[in-house]
Amino acid sequence: MLQFENHGLKAGIWTGMLTAAQAPARVALVHLGEIVALANLSAAEGEGLWQVTVELPASFLSDGAHSLILIADGGQDGDAPQPDAVELDRLHLMAGAPLEYELVAEIKLMRAELDLLKREFRRLATFE
């Protein structure tokens, strides 16, 4: 069982501690189904502890919202993420002026979905 403890993002480097019986073959950062960076693993003090560091590509430090997923799998460098990859954690980056409009649009979408759910629950509650 893999367990990741997020230590945060500082100066473009995401760090954390991975607990695993043995180090996975690859720990990678994925965006939109593609691997954008590989993490470095180093043995930490304690049995089954691995220090994870991954440098975020500069292309993600731009206006808008980006979701990055840290995965562990058995793939090799250059391979696509494996179907049996384990999601360790997610990192959401948001920056810039367009962010305000994206958040407003997201809130409007969530309100519309909530209204739809309320209508359906009311319809089901009155259905006999």
Side-chain angles (χ1 to χ4, degrees), residues 37-71:
L38 294 175
N40 294 318
L41 290 176
S42 56
E45 286 188 35
E47 188 174 330
L49 294 177
W50 306 91
Q51 178 70 36
V52 177
T53 59
V54 61
E55 187 173 338
L56 270 62
S59 60
F60 293 103
L61 304 176
S62 61
D63 287 350
H66 303 282
S67 291
L68 303 168
I69 303 171
L70 189 66
I71 64 161

Side-chain angles (χ1 to χ4, degrees), residues 28-45:
L29 195 60
V30 176
H31 180 258
L32 298 175
E34 293 186 23
I35 294 177
V36 294
L38 294 175
N40 294 318
L41 290 176
S42 56
E45 286 188 35

Side-chain angles (χ1 to χ4, degrees), residues 43-125:
E45 286 188 35
E47 188 174 330
L49 294 177
W50 306 91
Q51 178 70 36
V52 177
T53 59
V54 61
E55 187 173 338
L56 270 62
S59 60
F60 293 103
L61 304 176
S62 61
D63 287 350
H66 303 282
S67 291
L68 303 168
I69 303 171
L70 189 66
I71 64 161
D73 67 7
Q76 302 298 318
D77 293 350
D79 290 348
Q82 303 295 304
D84 63 344
V86 176
E87 180 180 320
L88 300 175
D89 206 353
R90 289 177 179 249
L91 180 65
H92 305 287
L93 299 174
M94 297 182 278
L99 178 62
E100 178 180 337
Y101 301 110
E102 288 180 22
L103 288 176
V104 169
E106 185 68 26
I107 290 170
K108 285 182 180 179
L109 178 62
M110 289 174 62
R111 284 182 179 159
E113 290 174 349
L114 182 59
D115 287 340
L116 175 69
L117 286 171
K118 288 191 315 190
R119 279 194 306 272
E120 285 301 307
F121 281 128
R122 286 182 186 133
R123 185 183 66 82
L124 289 173

Side-chain angles (χ1 to χ4, degrees), residues 1-7 16-22 24 27 41 47-52 70 72 86-89:
M1 174 84 181
L2 300 174
Q3 185 176 0
F4 181 75
E5 180 183 328
N6 186 350
H7 291 175
M17 189 68 66
L18 180 65
T19 304
Q22 62 184 42
V27 175
L41 290 176
E47 188 174 330
L49 294 177
W50 306 91
Q51 178 70 36
V52 177
L70 189 66
V86 176
E87 180 180 320
L88 300 175
D89 206 353

